[in-house]
Amino acid sequence: VKDVGILAMDIYFPPTCVQQEALEAHDGASKGKYTIGLGQECMAFCTEVEDVISMSLTVVTSLLEKYQIDPKQIGRLEVGSETVIDKSKSIKTWIMQIFEESGNTDVEGVDSTNACYGGTAALFNCVNWVESSSWDGRYGLVVCTDSAVYAEGPARPTGGAAAIAMLIGPNAPISFESKFRGTHMTHVYDFYKPNLASEYPVYSFCGSSLRNIQQSKLEIAGLFDRKIRGYKQVIQVLAPDAMLVLPQGLVGDAYGLVVDGKLSQTCYLMALDSCYKRFCSKFEKFEGKQFSISDADYFVFHSPYNKLVQKSFARLYFNDYLRNSSVVEKDAREKLEQFSNLTGDESYQSRELEKVSQQVSKPLYDVKVQPSTLLPKQIGNMYTASIYAAFASVIHNKYSTLMGQRIVMFSYGSGLSSTMFSFKLQDGQHPFNISNIASVLNVSEKLEKRHVISPENFVETLKLMEHRYGAKGFETSKDTSLLSPGTFYLVNVDSMYRRYYAKK
Ligand code: ACO
């Protein structure tokens, strides 16, 4: 088999969204904080009739229909998600309903979980399967599905929700350049969800996050009120203790306890550097020449919010400068010179470096990164689906010019796991070609058909979902008026916690 990769894709995101500008005003944040500061435009969210399972059912059904794939042709189904519906039963098993109907229960694979990285793990599993001796000639199918919701506070605008399905097989128009993978995985407490009673990640009371935490909770926060950028040690040591000192009731409520946004940003950038170095050295080993950002046409990053993507590309540019790459021109070289002697740690903490490198890399960012930012800016962080939604944005924006091009992908999941890998794009045979994928994705129409919900309504919905999380014995409103025909929705959860879905 050759050119194993993505044959077909589809994306589903809830039709309900909140504008970041309105949310900013509602939250009392300074004007421009969410839109310019985080770089986000809009945020999709699930109402009480949708969740990660319904979104998966919707996107898988849609992919099979639109590319006319018989469910019997799927031999492996892998799901990446960090949204916990059940601690034992995989999301994959719910999706099996679609395959059972056509008599196909011979489908390998279960769920992969590690923050936003699970989708990439699922994708690698499918690709490896097709390349292995246990491959039976059928397709692999990868589903990335998540609903990212945060407690009130500075992380709330970095939520989002979507599900993506990708069909895997040989002779793909989007094939893996598997030799060049660079991975970096370590143990770190940057973002985690130890509180099983809440859907929200644990919240950090550190640094600027403090400002938005309710007054009554500030006494606890005092412990952590240290304005430093080198958060790593402090949080790793203090966060577990923090849970012990909190008053009764707080652990189970919406505030959760630990995400350190700042630490997660630094971890992300450190992982990026490390993966890039490994990716470059593999490229050099196999191609016999230095890799630089000029060797890829697009860079696609996991996107918790757009500002981090801007910083990430600037970081790659700075790496190329340190590696003496000719892609960094003379005037940029002169501006970056003052930072050439910073230690690794100092470079993550230097605001000045962040600013200057973003400024000098901006022209290349506009060409190589900007086309990937549409869906992440419009939908928000989709966790496992985020990087693939960014990739789908490139296909949507550039489908007619992608043949022969290389796209470098950076996948990051807190905790942490990360990999940089690359795709080569080529002409495929209908229905598995880039322009057909772009038309199935149908991004513009899906975005246009959304309904903008007020921040008040959004907050109400999240409150209701807090109560529903992990609950049993309830019926939803079954109000599907905002859903498109063909969308699956949650009908009820019975007294035994069993979930029932229907299709509009
Ligand atoms: N106008 C323009 N820019 C503004 C404004 C304003 N009025 N106010 C603030 N900003 C800028 C800030 O300068 C900053 O930008 P910079 O970093 O380029 O300087 C940016 O807006 C964010 O402001 P902060 O004060 O740093 O943000 P805060 O601490 O309130 O929260 C954070 C941001 C940490 C990202 C928070 O949303 C969070 O914790 N999110 C969840 C964690 C996360 O997404 N981590 C990413 C990797 S891990 C993952 O994928 C989940």
Side-chain angles (χ1 to χ4, degrees):
V1 293
K2 67 183 244 300
D3 295 334
V4 177
I6 302 169
L7 292 162
M9 279 178 94
D10 201 359
I11 183 168
Y12 174 80
F13 45 87
T16 32
C17 62
V18 58
Q19 298 280 7
Q20 293 284 4
E21 201 177 343
L23 193 61
E24 214 170 66
H26 171 269
D27 292 353
S30 59
K31 191 164 171 47
K33 172 152 188 199
Y34 301 170
T35 46
I36 298 160
L38 296 174
Q40 291 301 108
E41 286 161 13
C42 200
M43 176 166 62
F45 62 96
C46 290
T47 63
E48 46 128 19
V49 289
E50 292 197 274
D51 61 23
V52 289
I53 296 166
S54 68
M55 290 195 293
S56 308
L57 292 168
T58 303
V59 78
V60 168
T61 307
S62 167
L63 179 139
L64 296 175
E65 268 172 29
K66 295 202 177 110
Y67 294 90
Q68 298 193 324
I69 307 291
D70 180 342
K72 289 198 186 73
Q73 288 176 276
I74 304 293
R76 189 174 190 98
L77 169 58
E78 295 265 351
V79 177
S81 181
E82 61 165 292
T83 308
V84 180
I85 297 274
D86 190 285
K87 284 180 269 174
S88 169
K89 186 174 164 57
S90 65
I91 295 173
K92 186 271 178 90
T93 57
W94 268 286
I95 306 175
M96 279 311 296
Q97 294 173 94
I98 296 169
F99 298 91
E100 276 171 61
E101 260 173 33
S102 65
N104 181 14
T105 56
D106 180 12
V107 184
E108 291 183 2
V110 286
D111 295 2
S112 292
T113 300
N114 187 85
C116 309
Y117 187 83
T120 297
L123 180 59
F124 286 178
N125 284 347
C126 272
V127 169
N128 292 346
W129 175 66
V130 173
E131 288 179 343
S132 76
S133 59
S134 55
W135 185 48
D136 66 1
R138 290 184 295 164
Y139 298 119
L141 185 61
V142 176
V143 179
C144 306
T145 182
D146 269 305
S147 161
V149 282
Y150 290 93
E152 260 171 63
R156 180 152 272 185
T158 63
I164 286 204
M166 296 179 276
L167 191 73
I168 309 302
N171 309 317
I174 302 156
S175 66
F176 274 79
E177 299 187 297
S178 299
K179 287 194 177 76
F180 306 152
R181 276 183 208 172
T183 284
H184 174 77
M185 302 206 179
T186 59
H187 165 54
V188 53
Y189 279 122
D190 60 328
F191 166 108
Y192 48 113
K193 300 175 180 167
N195 178 3
L196 296 171
S198 165
E199 193 175 1
Y200 302 136
V202 156
Y203 223 103
S204 155
F205 291 117
C206 206
S208 60
S209 310
L210 258 171
R211 288 192 305 267
N212 293 320
I213 304 229
Q214 280 179 357
Q215 202 56 40
S216 62
K217 283 157 190 161
L218 279 177
E219 59 201 78
I220 313 143
L223 253 179
F224 306 95
D225 187 9
R226 302 182 191 184
K227 254 294 193 214
I228 44 162
R229 283 205 122 205
Y231 287 93
K232 197 168 179 174
Q233 280 73 24
V234 180
I235 289 303
Q236 280 185 0
V237 177
L238 292 184
D241 292 341
M243 269 177 252
L244 303 176
V245 297
L246 286 166
Q248 282 292 315
L250 196 57
V251 171
D253 80 10
Y255 286 86
L257 296 180
V258 212
V259 174
D260 189 342
K262 300 291 174 195
L263 174 62
S264 70
Q265 289 168 339
T266 307
C267 288
Y268 181 109
L269 296 174
M270 283 164 58
L272 175 68
D273 279 354
S274 182
C275 288
Y276 188 54
K277 287 193 178 88
R278 283 171 194 156
F279 181 91
C280 289
S281 78
K282 294 218 178 133
F283 183 92
E284 277 149 36
K285 186 170 151 202
F286 289 104
E287 298 290 298
K289 58 172 185 183
Q290 199 190 38
F291 182 90
S292 78
I293 46 183
S294 58
D295 291 297
D297 297 281
Y298 299 101
F299 286 84
V300 172
F301 299 89
H302 164 55
S303 176
Y305 49 92
N306 178 254
K307 177 59 84 58
L308 193 54
V309 171
Q310 297 171 32
K311 290 182 186 180
S312 297
F313 185 71
R315 193 80 207 174
L316 294 187
Y317 191 87
F318 182 58
N319 269 276
D320 276 3
Y321 161 75
L322 292 176
R323 296 161 66 243
N324 256 322
S325 160
S326 58
V327 72
V328 182
E329 283 168 9
K330 190 160 168 284
D331 54 331
R333 206 173 284 282
E334 280 163 9
K335 287 186 180 133
L336 290 171
E337 206 183 323
Q338 53 178 314
F339 308 107
S340 58
N341 293 324
L342 294 183
T343 64
D345 270 0
E346 285 166 351
S347 77
Y348 298 113
Q349 288 163 39
S350 166
R351 306 282 293 167
E352 200 52 30
L353 167 61
E354 222 170 64
K355 231 172 56 200
V356 173
S357 57
Q358 276 180 72
Q359 182 219 329
V360 292
S361 62
K362 176 82 168 50
L364 279 176
Y365 173 92
D366 289 343
V367 177
K368 291 178 188 282
V369 184
Q370 200 273 336
S372 70
T373 59
L374 173 70
L375 288 170
K377 278 179 171 178
Q378 282 294 330
I379 302 176
N381 192 357
M382 299 151 261
Y383 287 158
T384 54
S386 180
I387 178 175
Y388 300 102
F391 176 63
S393 307
V394 178
I395 296 185
H396 164 73
N397 282 316
K398 299 286 171 184
Y399 63 90
S400 59
T401 54
L402 289 173
M403 296 332 133
Q405 298 201 319
R406 171 179 290 135
I407 301 189
V408 168
M409 309 280 291
F410 175 65
S411 180
Y412 177 85
S414 293
L416 68 84
S417 330
S418 60
T419 301
M420 184 172 279
F421 57 101
S422 63
F423 291 136
K424 198 88 197 188
L425 280 79
Q426 58 203 13
D427 249 340
Q429 273 197 338
H430 191 82
F432 304 141
N433 54 24
I434 304 289
S435 57
N436 189 46
I437 296 174
S439 83
V440 169
L441 287 169
N442 197 13
V443 165
S444 302
E445 197 182 313
K446 284 177 188 164
L447 286 175
E448 275 158 27
K449 276 184 19 200
R450 294 199 293 180
H451 305 268
V452 173
I453 309 294
S454 70
E456 290 76 17
N457 232 316
F458 161 71
V459 171
E460 279 291 285
T461 304
L462 257 56
K463 282 216 175 91
L464 175 63
M465 308 287 262
E466 280 164 27
H467 291 296
R468 292 273 170 89
Y469 187 72
K472 62 177 176 175
F474 64 87
E475 302 232 342
T476 68
S477 66
K478 301 182 202 65
D479 177 0
T480 60
S481 55
L482 301 182
L483 305 180
S484 299
T487 306
F488 283 80
Y489 60 94
L490 180 65
V491 176
N492 70 302
V493 175
D494 73 11
S495 60
M496 299 278 284
Y497 296 97
R498 291 175 297 208
R499 306 173 79 82
Y500 297 89
Y501 296 87
K503 187 177 177 184
K504 180 173 171 183

